[in-house]
Amino acid sequence: MTHVGIISVGSYLPSKVLSNFDLEKMVDTTDEWITSRTGIKERRVAAKDEKTSDLATKAALNALKHGKLEASKIDLIIVATISPDSNFPSVACIVQKNIGATKAAAFDISAACSGFLYAMTTAKQFIPTGLYKNALVIAAEKITSLVDWNDRSTCVLFGDGAGACVLAPTKSDGIISEYMHAEGEFGHLMAVYVDYPDTFDPDNKSMGIPRIAMQGKELFKVAVNSMAAAVEHALKKAKLDLEEVDCVVPHQANDRIISAVAKKLGIPKDKFYINIDRYGNMSAASLAVALCEAVEAKKIKKGSNVVLVAFGAGLVSAANVVKW
Ligand code: ACO
């Protein structure tokens, strides 16, 4: 059996920092409310002329550099994003051009905050079949472009960023289990509403600006249950017990969600890698950036049993167990 592992990671964060104190000047909120309800202190915001594909390209180059890999050797690029530059071309195709990965196939995946794991699991399937030798998996979001900056209940939550990893055959272990799940009946709890023209509209009169709308309280409960269930499914498939987990890298939507998931599973919270205080919720990119930082901070070492877990709008949830 061919084993597939994560052989390198990388990330990129835009330089502009938007703190809770900055937000106090924009909407009726306080640093105290945001910190106590979410754990977020600040987030990054991409520059006006910085697109999702720019963030994705920089994270991809970072992952290639860390792995001492050449872009020309990459066979497949999958980008997870819900904030692409435009409907087409895909962000993956733009990255392919930007980095010079001339032989790679390239496409995007839309699975909101679970996108990085949906993309990783999808990419993984091509390697044991022999179709591809490696894959570059990227999660990139310029989600601040979808935020309604007049809505204090959502604008304080999100930030921009990108993370990436390279998958390739390993001698043993690597990604030892994967789980993907969807519950479409909860789709109304979080959505981006956009007035696409519902008919032929040459004057573009019915075009509107897309904006995030969310039912936070309801989402909170579903998030905790679906993340805990995803971890249990993935661990069972990996034939590992909860006590054998060394590090959990979760999607970073709310520090209280992470605490509730840790409690529900009975895994000590100090095994969870958390960076929400610095970046907020970067949708698919949150987990990819957190994974990169956890590796760099040596929270994940050779032999570590790592659980990656996410949930997002859809609703979609996912988990992977990786023996590092
Ligand atoms: N500043 C100050 N007050 C605020 C703010 C704010 N930024 N936002 C809301 N409030 C007020 C509300 O108006 C409400 O006031 P009221 O009691 O007078 O009506 C009060 O604070 C409580 O609001 P709730 O919405 O009940 O606050 P809650 O404790 O549920 O926290 C939060 C809100 C942080 C959004 C939480 O519900 C949450 O994190 N939910 C999950 C969100 C999530 O997971 N999103 C991402 C999922 S999918 C994806 O990531 C793509």
Side-chain angles (χ1 to χ4, degrees), residues 244-265:
E244 294 175 276
V245 173
D246 297 305
C247 181
V248 182
V249 186
H251 171 52
Q252 320 266 324
N254 187 321
D255 187 57
R256 290 189 293 133
I257 292 179
I258 298 172
S259 298
V261 171
K263 193 170 168 208
K264 200 171 169 71
L265 289 167

Side-chain angles (χ1 to χ4, degrees), residues 47 92 153 162 206:
S153 67
S206 50

